[in-house]
Amino acid sequence: ITLLQPNLHTHNIKLIYEQNRDLTYFGLENELFHVIMNIINNAQDALVDKKPTNPFIKISLLKEDDKSKIIIEDNAGGIDQHIIDKIFDQYFTTKGKEGTGLGLYLTKIIVKASLNGDIEVVNTKEGAKFIISL
């Protein structure tokens, strides 16, 4: 959060952090860091592009059953229903020549293979919500 705040502040994006329980993670810290940063950077790009009123990124940590969940959501309007099933595909990008189509693909690979977890995305009334289950 300390690393993200200055850049988000530059774009007037509010970062909301909620932690319902103390969670401890034992595993590959750098890989988890990469996953979270990629999702937040994508959310920031969408917020800067779409310019919603009072832009925010919300990070929630919670425990459900035997899973720890990291939920990252924004209010950038969501992901077009025609492409939401493709965003984790290799080389799929909505950023034109600026994107490689590898960010979310690698994010999913890391979550599944290295972190032994799962990742999904859904649209909310305000934007996109990524749910990482570990």
Side-chain angles (χ1 to χ4, degrees):
I1 290 174
T2 304
L3 182 65
L4 296 170
Q5 284 287 25
N7 198 32
L8 295 174
H9 182 71
T10 300
H11 297 290
N12 295 315
I13 299 170
K14 182 178 181 181
L15 182 63
I16 303 163
Y17 176 72
E18 294 181 347
Q19 184 173 352
N20 297 341
R21 297 177 101 171
D22 286 336
L23 298 178
T24 303
Y25 172 72
F26 298 97
L28 302 168
E29 183 179 344
N30 287 334
E31 281 79 353
L32 182 59
F33 176 82
H34 175 81
V35 165
I36 292 169
M37 289 300 293
N38 187 57
I39 294 169
I40 290 172
N41 285 331
N42 283 348
Q44 177 184 304
D45 290 346
L47 290 164
V48 168
D49 183 50
K50 295 183 180 177
K51 298 175 180 54
T53 305
N54 302 315
F56 71 81
I57 297 172
K58 179 178 172 184
I59 303 170
S60 303
L61 303 179
L62 55 101
K63 185 90 168 165
E64 282 186 3
D65 301 321
D66 63 338
K67 301 279 185 183
S68 294
K69 295 196 176 194
I70 302 167
I71 300 169
I72 303 170
E73 53 190 305
D74 62 51
N75 66 335
I79 300 167
D80 188 315
Q81 284 301 117
H82 294 100
I83 65 167
I84 198 165
D85 292 334
K86 298 176 186 174
I87 66 165
F88 293 111
D89 291 353
Q90 188 175 17
Y91 304 123
F92 181 81
T93 183
T94 60
K95 297 179 182 180
K97 293 185 179 192
E98 291 180 26
T100 62
L102 293 175
L104 288 175
Y105 169 74
L106 290 174
T107 293
K108 186 166 188 167
I109 295 293
I110 291 168
V111 169
K112 287 185 163 288
S114 296
L115 305 177
N116 196 28
D118 198 19
I119 185 169
E120 62 180 304
V121 63
V122 295
N123 281 326
T124 66
K125 289 181 181 178
E126 296 182 294
K129 179 193 291 190
F130 285 81
I131 303 162
I132 303 164
S133 301
L134 302 172

